[in-house]
Structures are given as C-alpha cells and as structure tokens.
C-alpha cells in the first residue's frame, strides 16, 4: 500500500479525533490540513508516516501542541465561535489522552508514543480528565436509538454521570414528540431508526428549534466522514465502549454546541 493510500485510509478517523478535540469541524480540519502540509514540507516527517496510524496522529499532535494556544479570536456565531472561545480555556493534555484511549481506541502505550509521554503519565491524565467530567454540570438528555438494549445501556450510562434522561425515541416522530414537551441539553442519536427514518433528520428538527450538543452513534462512521458535506462534530462507532461515549459527552458539553459546520 502506498503512503498516500495509508494516509487516505486513516484520514477520516484523524478528522474525527481533530473535531472532537477542537469542538469544530472547520477548526479540526484546519489542524489536519496543517499536519499534512507539514509532512509535505519535511521529508523525515513524511517518511515516518509509513509507520501507519500512530505516527500520523503523532504528527498531528506536534502541530496541535505548538498551535492550540494561538487559536484566533472567535468569528461568526453559534458553534464555531463558541468552540474557538472555549479553546482558550481548554486543558488539552488530559482530554487528549482520554480521547486517544477511548474514541480512537489507542493503547496507553500508543497514546504515550503519540503524545511523547510515559504510559503512567497517560494513565494519570486520563484519570484527571474523568475527574473533570464528574465535575461538569448535569443536563437533560434525549436518546434516539431503535435498539432497546442499546437504549437502556445509554440510559444507565447517562444517569450514572448525573444527567437526567428527558426521553427516549426509536423514530423521528417519537423524537419530535419528546422535544415538543422539553428541549434537551444533549442528544445521543443513532442514524438508522426503526421505521426507516433518519436520526440525521430527527436531529435537524431539534437544531431548527435550538442549538443543542449532539453525539451520533453509528456502526458506519465512514459514511459520514467523507468531507463532502458538513459533518457531525461528535461521532462514536458501534459497538462502543462506555468510556468512549463518556469522553464524547464530556467534549460535547464542554463546547456547549455541536451544530454541524460548513
């Protein structure tokens, strides 16, 4: 497999990680673009990418670590401005360690290689991030999921984090009924629903009313990570680990909004 093919294979997942870390599709993609430009300008860095996914994320980390303190002033409105504003107060190392070991499923050793830290330091950072999550304000959560067992698992997880489940829905219509009674503070949504309706459409209905953080949970994330259209900021792959959803909830509530960005 050529280097270009290797990078192309891993690029959707690096983009997923970048937007989860920054809270914005546009900002995340800007950091990914800067990483690829740095590799093109540095033969040694380019050659290191032959090693696969870990060195690609390591290259991204170097760009992120050198630049995140110089995020430009907030521009525009809504999620984009909010995300850039929150970047100025983010505690990047612990949340980065948590996302690498949960959302991206790297081992502690691999995350250490990416971040230039010892495995025991990664473990400490992950615990710090979990403690931050536990201190976050509770909110109401709508779960849009047509598999009863998965819906129950998500309910248990959400309530264990101190949040309230304001409703569950297996179809777009049911989601509309829940939101008519109460606008949630967070939405967890599957994409393919029981009656053939779309979780994407259900979420669009909600975002037409208010800007609410949304986490999509799907077995086919690559279908949404094409770069052809505005994409969800938070995307969790099925089957998921509870720690992965927990990390996504943390980031979504931290940035306060996940309206797709163009």
């Amino acid at each position: 497999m050529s280097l270009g093919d290797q990078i192309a294979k891993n690029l959707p997942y690096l983009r997923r990680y970048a937007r989860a870390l920054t809270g914005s599709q546009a900002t995340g993609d800007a950091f990914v673009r800067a990483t690829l430009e740095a590799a093109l300008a540095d033969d040694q860095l380019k050659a290191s990418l032959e090693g696969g996914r870990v060195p690609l994320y390591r290259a991204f980390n170097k760009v992120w670590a050198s630049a995140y303190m110089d995020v430009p002033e907030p521009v525009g409105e809504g999620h984009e401005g909010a995300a850039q504003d929150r970047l100025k107060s983010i505690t990047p190392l612990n949340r980065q360690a948590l996302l690498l070991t949960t959302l991206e499923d790297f081992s502690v050793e691999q995350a250490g290689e990416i971040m230039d830290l010892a495995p025991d330091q990664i473990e400490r950072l992950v615990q710090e991030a979990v403690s931050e999550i536990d201190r976050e304000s509770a909110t109401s959560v709508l779960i849009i999921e047509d598999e009863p067992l998965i819906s129950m698992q998500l309910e248990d997880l959400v309530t264990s984090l101190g949040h309230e489940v304001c409703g569950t829905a297996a179809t777009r219509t049911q989601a509309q009924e829940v939101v008519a009674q109460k606008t949630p503070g967070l939405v967890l949504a599957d994409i393919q629903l029981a009656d053939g309706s779309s979780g994407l459409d259900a979420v669009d209905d909600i975002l037409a009313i208010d800007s609410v953080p949304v986490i999509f949970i799907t077995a086919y994330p690559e279908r949404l990570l094409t770069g052809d259209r505005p994409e969800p900021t938070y995307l969790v792959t099925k089957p998921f680990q509870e720690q992965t959803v927990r990390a996504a909830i943390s980031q979504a509530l931290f940035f306060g909004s996940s309206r797709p960005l163009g």
Side-chain angles (χ1 to χ4, degrees), residues 144-147 150 169-172 189-201 216-220 223-224 238:
I144 306 174
E145 170 58 63
D146 64 342
E147 292 287 344
I150 296 177
T171 67
R172 179 184 182 182
D190 192 2
I191 292 176
Q192 296 181 350
L193 302 179
D195 61 349
S197 60
S198 167
L200 292 169
D201 292 335
F216 284 101
I217 302 175
T218 174
Y220 306 102
R223 294 182 182 177
L224 293 178
K238 288 182 178 179

Side-chain angles (χ1 to χ4, degrees), residues 7 11 14-15 17-18 21-22 27-49 52-67 96 114:
I7 293 175
L11 196 58
L14 180 63
R15 293 180 63 228
Y17 169 68
L21 186 64
T22 64
T27 305
D29 282 352
F31 276 105
V32 170
R33 191 178 307 112
T35 301
L36 298 179
E37 289 171 353
L40 288 174
D42 185 330
D43 289 340
Q44 185 175 358
L45 178 59
K46 181 179 178 181
S48 73
L49 299 185
R53 193 162 171 248
V54 169
L56 179 62
Y57 279 67
R58 179 180 169 86
F60 172 89
N61 178 73
K62 290 184 180 299
V63 172
W64 163 255
S66 66
Q96 189 172 6
I114 290 167

Side-chain angles (χ1 to χ4, degrees), residues 220-234:
Y220 306 102
E222 65 278 0
R223 294 182 182 177
L224 293 178
L225 295 171
T226 62
D228 294 333
R229 58 179 294 277
E231 300 164 346
T233 302
Y234 304 102

